């Protein structure tokens, strides 16, 4: 009985999240974009969009010419929480509060490069599937693709507090720096962004954008190492 319980617990705690990530990696790009658009529609209904800033930031992103194989679209929303997050398939939501703390365009280029990297590397999709693997597994057995889309739409609000592993965050930082280098953007912007976010945490409860990221000291050390490579 002990062995059976151990195997059941192992499957529930470790195998299903692993399986969820494998399923995510085998998703077609077209279906990922469709799923992401459904999640975006559900998420954005909770916010008030700043149309002027949204137009400006999308024009800014186009000028960066980052080579990401997804149709990146950015939406700026009115929110006091310092946060930004990526949705599978190409959408990025940026809170106004995080923009207000920036002093250089390179900081914004770094933020957008980091979030675009999460999309390019499918970090959002993989993390979501790992976190919801058990429910997704039941939907795959009992339901259909439409059922999965509906399930994600109902749980889309969890995106703003989505947690990535240390390895995925490091990969997004490194790939973001690479995007900046290829586009001729000063990579000091990534360090400036981290310094700004670190200051935001002093004496305050970290917002989800910051609390789900690795320790700033370690993160900035890794960023400096990567900058030196270029």
């Amino acid at each position: 009985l002990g062995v059976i319980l151990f195997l059941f617990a192992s499957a529930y705690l470790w195998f299903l999240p692993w399986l969820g990530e494998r399923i995510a990696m085998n998703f077609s790009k077209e279906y990922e974009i469709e799923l992401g658009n459904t999640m975006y529609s559900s998420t954005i209904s909770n916010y008030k969009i700043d149309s002027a800033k949204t137009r400006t930031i999308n024009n800014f992103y186009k000028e960066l010419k980052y080579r990401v194989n997804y149709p990146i679209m950015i939406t700026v929303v009115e929110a006091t929480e310092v946060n930004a997050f990526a949705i599978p398939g190409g959408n990025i939501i940026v809170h106004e509060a995080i923009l207000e703390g920036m002093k250089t365009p390179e900081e914004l280029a770094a933020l957008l490069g980091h979030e675009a990297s999460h999309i390019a590397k499918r970090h959002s999709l993989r993390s979501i599937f790992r976190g919801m693997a058990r429910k997704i597994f039941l939907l795959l057995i009992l339901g259909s693709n439409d059922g999965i889309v509906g399930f994600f739409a109902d749980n889309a609000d969890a995106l703003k507090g989505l947690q990535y592993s240390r390895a995925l965050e490091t990969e997004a930082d490194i790939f973001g720096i690479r995007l900046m280098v290829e586009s001729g953007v000063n990579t000091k912007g990534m360090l400036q962004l981290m310094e700004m976010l670190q200051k935001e945490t002093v004496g305050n409860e970290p917002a989800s954008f910051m609390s789900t990221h690795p320790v700033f000291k370690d993160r900035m050390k890794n960023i400096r190492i990567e900058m030196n490579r270029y």
Side-chain angles (χ1 to χ4, degrees):
L1 181 59
V3 171
I4 292 172
L5 290 174
F6 174 77
L7 292 174
F8 179 80
S10 298
Y12 189 79
L13 295 174
W14 295 295
F15 175 71
L16 287 179
W18 174 86
L19 179 63
E21 185 165 345
R22 298 283 76 75
I23 293 172
M25 291 301 294
N26 288 313
F27 254 39
S28 71
K29 183 177 177 181
E30 292 74 18
Y31 186 62
E32 181 186 3
I33 292 172
E34 178 187 345
L35 177 64
N37 287 337
T38 299
M39 297 187 77
Y40 171 80
S41 297
S42 180
T43 303
I44 205 65
S45 63
N46 299 317
Y47 293 101
K48 182 178 180 181
I49 298 174
D50 188 317
S51 300
K53 289 181 181 177
T54 294
R55 285 194 298 271
T56 300
I57 202 170
N58 278 285
N59 289 334
F60 177 83
Y61 181 82
K62 289 177 183 177
E63 290 298 321
L64 293 173
K65 295 180 172 62
Y66 285 162
R67 290 192 293 177
V68 178
N69 294 322
Y70 282 86
I72 302 295
M73 290 296 297
I74 306 147
T75 306
V76 179
V77 298
E78 297 180 8
T80 58
E81 182 185 32
V82 177
N83 199 13
F85 56 94
I87 298 174
N91 280 289
I92 298 172
I93 293 180
V94 177
H95 289 194
E96 280 185 335
I98 198 171
L99 299 177
E100 292 169 359
M102 294 182 180
K103 295 182 174 62
T104 69
E106 288 81 10
E107 289 176 73
L108 179 56
L111 174 67
L112 299 180
H114 179 85
E115 296 302 329
S117 296
H118 279 314
I119 293 171
K121 299 295 183 180
R122 286 189 159 185
H123 291 171
S124 300
L125 188 70
R126 290 158 59 188
S127 296
I128 291 167
F129 268 55
R130 281 187 65 87
M132 300 180 178
R134 300 168 190 92
K135 292 182 180 179
I136 295 169
F137 183 70
L138 293 175
L139 286 171
L140 287 172
I141 294 175
L142 303 174
S144 63
N145 286 347
D146 292 336
I148 295 176
V149 172
F151 171 75
F152 277 118
D154 293 338
N155 291 274
D157 192 53
L159 282 166
K160 65 181 181 181
L162 182 63
Q163 294 189 14
Y164 299 109
S165 69
R166 184 179 294 268
L168 294 186
E169 285 295 358
T170 299
E171 185 179 25
D173 283 340
I174 291 173
F175 192 73
I177 290 172
R178 174 182 161 187
L179 291 175
M180 296 173 75
V181 170
E182 291 175 347
S183 296
V185 180
N186 193 328
T187 54
K188 287 184 179 179
M190 189 69 80
L191 276 178
Q192 292 170 338
L193 175 65
M194 293 302 108
E195 290 167 356
M196 184 271 287
L197 294 175
Q198 187 177 40
K199 290 178 181 177
E200 290 289 336
T201 64
V202 176
N204 298 309
E205 183 70 21
S208 59
F209 177 82
M210 293 173 280
S211 63
T212 58
H213 287 49
V215 177
F216 285 111
K217 181 179 179 181
D218 294 340
R219 197 170 177 190
M220 288 190 282
K221 179 181 178 181
N222 291 333
I223 288 170
R224 288 190 179 95
I225 292 172
E226 192 63 21
M227 288 169 61
N228 288 335
R229 292 185 61 246
Y230 296 100

